[in-house]
Amino acid sequence: MRAVICALFAALISTVGTPVGAEASTAPAAAPVSVELDRMTVSTRIGQRFGFISTVRNDSDRPMPDLIAHLNVLSIDPAVYVDPEDWSTRRTIYLPPLAVGESARLTWDVQAVNAGHFVVYVAVTTKQRADEQITGSNVLRLAVAQERTLNPEGMLPLAAAVPTVLLVLVVLTARRRRRLR
Amino acid sequence: MGDVDQLPVRAGARAWSVVAARELRDLWVSGRGLLLMLAYALTLSVTSYLVASNEVLNFLEQREAVSLTLQVAVAVGSLLVLVAAADAVSGERERGTLETLLLTPAPRRALILGKGIAAFSLWVAAYAVSVPYVWYLAQGVDVVGVSLFSGLVVGSLLALFLAGFGLLVSTFAQSNRISLSVSLFVLLALFVPTQLPTALRNVWAGELLARADPFAAGLGYLGKLVIDARSPVEEATWLVGPLLAAAIAVAVALAVAGQLALRPGGRG
């Protein structure tokens, strides 16, 4: 399973939308499936959830059993690290068999956990041909705006003030005890 | 409890409230409670500043940072309660003041209840100290209400459990050293399930252990509400373990209070 997902990811980095295995010098073979996303762009704020639908269609001349769809997120900015596991808890969907010309709609739920610009796409393969052919969807361009988050400058006065107040109380209590004695 | 020989148990006054008032005064006016709060505040200051100054945290990791601060607040706050409760009887025994205490007209159950209330007051104060830290960190990721609410519920249940457990051990321990050692050993053992790998927690035995252990269940409940944004009601079953543990520990500590003796196993 992990190998399949890794293979999907590695292949898609270089060949989104193109069947893997097609040589540069030769015409790419027609993909047996097509994947379309219902949204092209999404703008949101960090922490917000959004959803989109991908439609997977069997374009081949034979039924397609064991189709696997996988969601991926990549950052355009090399300084922003993306852990796709954080973005969606359900990133791989195993589809029921698709008859010739039949399609399936898959709903994806995503939470924006980093600020920046990202590309979201869905890759599809079959259980039997995972190591040789992967089809990628069109891309969804995602812009995530930063919101107010943890603020270290504001934290410092608070982190100093609370113990200071308690220290003053300790000293005052000790003085009072000494006076009572 | 220094001047226990003058314990004014007036007619009509509830003995436990008199004992509690004396113990609370002893704890807070003597400055011992304030010193513990100072150490507690320093721990929270260091923890919260470290998590707030980490600039590479993503949104979920920031929620985790809030959850971490909350868990430290709850765990250390309830640890203070355990230390005070474990000292309650065995400390008097070791300092030679238990005999005087037992000669007062207060029922022994009232003595234990009063001491338990004083120990629990450490959690109340600890929670009050933790509020500004949690409020400040949680407002950045909009989880102030849920953090403060869940921290209060879970912390109170764990503090009740540890107060009951500490008093129980202290009632039967010959010395303070034994009482504190046993209490802290059990506390450490209760923390072990919180470190179980996720894969182990997903099998039925692991989940049962995590739900039965009051610490794993309580701290897990905090994580589910603060990090995963689950509703308090949806995950309420995680509170069954801490609730049962608190009820049983307090009930047993009060039930065996009648056996409180000058020497463990002896008769008053």
Side-chain angles (χ1 to χ4, degrees), chain B residues 121-213:
Chain B
S121 73
L122 280 168
W123 159 248
V124 177
Y127 179 75
V129 168
S130 73
V131 165
Y133 297 97
V134 175
W135 169 78
Y136 189 85
L137 289 174
Q139 64 176 343
V141 279
D142 292 333
V143 285
V144 176
V146 77
S147 300
L148 291 177
F149 166 76
S150 58
L152 179 64
V153 172
V154 171
S156 299
L157 288 176
L158 292 179
L160 274 175
F161 162 62
L162 291 179
F165 179 73
L167 287 168
L168 182 64
V169 174
S170 189
T171 300
F172 292 108
Q174 175 73 48
S175 68
N176 233 2
R177 197 172 52 181
I178 293 174
S179 177
L180 284 171
S181 305
V182 171
S183 299
L184 292 176
F185 177 79
V186 171
L187 184 66
L188 278 178
L190 289 174
F191 267 111
V192 170
T194 65
Q195 303 303 313
L196 282 180
T198 312
L200 264 180
R201 276 189 229 179
N202 289 340
V203 298
W204 70 268
E207 187 176 339
L208 184 67
L209 183 63
R211 282 178 179 271
D213 173 32

Side-chain angles (χ1 to χ4, degrees), chain A residues 113 148-149 151 154 159 162 173 177, chain B residues 29-30 45 58-59 62 136 140:
Chain A
V113 298
R148 183 183 53 160
T149 54
N151 173 9
V162 177
T173 312
R177 260 186 300 134
Chain B
V29 178
S30 73
S45 287
N58 70 26
F59 179 76
Q62 287 178 21
Y136 189 85

Side-chain angles (χ1 to χ4, degrees), chain A residues 46-49 81 83 85-87 111-114 146-156 158-160 162-164 166-167 169-170 173 176-177 180, chain B residues 28-31 34-35 37-38 41-42 45-46 48-49 51-53 55 57-63 65-66 129 132-133 136-142 228:
Chain A
I46 194 164
Q48 298 299 306
R49 291 186 173 279
Y81 171 75
D83 183 355
E85 301 282 334
D86 287 343
W87 288 68
Q111 183 177 31
V113 298
N114 293 89
Q146 181 66 278
E147 264 198 338
R148 183 183 53 160
T149 54
L150 307 181
N151 173 9
E153 288 77 26
M155 190 71 229
L156 190 56
L158 178 69
V162 177
T164 305
L166 284 165
L167 184 62
L169 285 175
V170 168
T173 312
R176 184 173 172 273
R177 260 186 300 134
L180 286 175
Chain B
W28 293 104
V29 178
S30 73
L34 284 172
L35 273 175
M37 283 308 115
L38 177 60
L42 285 171
S45 287
V46 171
S48 50
Y49 183 72
V51 300
S53 58
E55 289 178 357
L57 298 179
N58 70 26
F59 179 76
L60 284 185
E61 289 161 345
Q62 287 178 21
R63 281 177 169 242
V66 176
V129 168
Y133 297 97
Y136 189 85
L137 289 174
Q139 64 176 343
V141 279
D142 292 333
D228 304 335

Side-chain angles (χ1 to χ4, degrees), chain A residues 12 15-19 31 134-137:
Chain A
L12 275 158
T15 60
V16 172
T18 305
I134 292 166
T135 306
S137 68

